[in-house]
Amino acid sequence: MRVLVAEDHRVLARTIATGLRRQAMAVDLAAAGDEAERMCLLTAYDVLILDRDLPVLTGDEVCRRLRELDDPPRILMLTAAGEITDRVYGLTALGADDYLTKPFDFAELVARVRALSRRVQKPPPVLLRHHGITLNRARREVYVDGRPLELTPKEFAVLQLLMEARGTAVPHDELVRTLWDENLDPRTSAVRATVSRLRGKLGDPGLIAADKGQGYRLCD
């Protein structure tokens, strides 16, 4: 999942980004409204966490402008204005998809971001199965032949993408774009290292194939 955090409070922005990255989300940051709009025009974000009080362009104006796009990101407005009238205005007049007031509980923020991302496209089934592997998307659990398997959030996210692809190769660039952020060097070994650890935990090194020039796929 690719997320843009548009927040001019740099400490809060970095805190949100760090927490979301620990949940295996790819997170970029914008500190001003014009920067957030420009980044959304260049990158297909799943969710935009948008502070209303941004410099240059306010979050309100960014939201209005993005709503004119054919395929805008889902927008979670983040603000200290918590009155009912503020929430109604954000959800109706501005066209935001969700609204969260500061201060907030981080677990709620994660839950709202995940809920918004599920609206982007029809989600795959809650349970994904492949050769003795069962992945529960809702509970974020993995079982191999009925035994629970402990995975890091990034390993879980990679396995989920591969299982959703159902044997079709997932390109290296897509893995980087979806699960890492813009600061990752595309030539890095991060993807290869994550896949290698995942193979080891699954107990079958040949289960995930690396197709040269194509990416990674689950073997039949």
Side-chain angles (χ1 to χ4, degrees), residues 11 16 40 44 53 68 78 84 95 104 115 121 125 137 142 155 166 212 217:
V11 173
I16 293 173
C40 285
D53 299 318
E68 297 177 359
L78 197 61
I84 292 178
F104 55 86
Q121 56 185 354
R137 296 175 64 254
V142 176
E155 292 163 355
R166 299 185 181 280
K212 188 175 182 180
R217 62 178 176 81

Side-chain angles (χ1 to χ4, degrees), residues 173-193:
D173 290 349
E174 181 178 341
L175 288 169
V176 171
R177 184 176 63 253
T178 306
L179 304 181
W180 280 266
D181 58 62
E182 63 178 5
N183 297 314
L184 183 73
D185 186 336
R187 297 167 297 180
T188 185
S189 62
V191 176
R192 185 169 62 252

Side-chain angles (χ1 to χ4, degrees), residues 73-171:
R74 297 292 178 176
I75 298 176
L76 171 59
M77 297 292 285
L78 197 61
T79 177
E83 297 296 328
I84 292 178
T85 53
D86 293 312
R87 296 198 296 271
V88 171
Y89 180 75
L91 294 169
T92 56
L94 299 179
D97 297 286
D98 202 354
Y99 200 98
L100 186 61
T101 57
K102 303 175 184 177
F104 55 86
D105 185 89
F106 188 75
E108 182 180 2
L109 175 67
V110 171
R112 288 176 180 268
V113 170
R114 291 197 186 283
L116 286 176
S117 72
R118 290 195 291 269
R119 300 183 199 172
V120 176
Q121 56 185 354
K122 183 179 179 181
V126 172
L127 294 180
L128 301 174
R129 294 184 174 88
H130 182 87
H131 284 241
I133 303 170
T134 300
L135 183 146
N136 188 313
R137 296 175 64 254
R139 295 184 177 181
R140 303 189 66 77
E141 297 173 344
V142 176
Y143 295 85
V144 177
D145 296 328
R147 298 186 302 274
L149 182 67
E150 291 293 328
L151 298 179
T152 66
K154 196 72 74 177
E155 292 163 355
F156 181 95
V158 170
L159 180 60
Q160 179 178 320
L161 275 181
L162 294 178
M163 294 185 74
E164 289 173 354
R166 299 185 181 280
T168 301
V170 179

Side-chain angles (χ1 to χ4, degrees), residues 29-47:
L29 297 175
D34 60 332
E35 182 184 11
E37 181 187 24
R38 183 173 63 253
M39 293 175 71
C40 285
L41 293 175
L42 295 174
T43 302
Y45 291 101
D46 298 303
V47 177

Side-chain angles (χ1 to χ4, degrees), residues 63-75:
C63 189
R64 289 193 190 96
R65 293 188 182 195
L66 293 180
R67 280 295 167 235
E68 297 177 359
L69 300 179
D70 291 334
D71 188 21
R74 297 292 178 176
I75 298 176

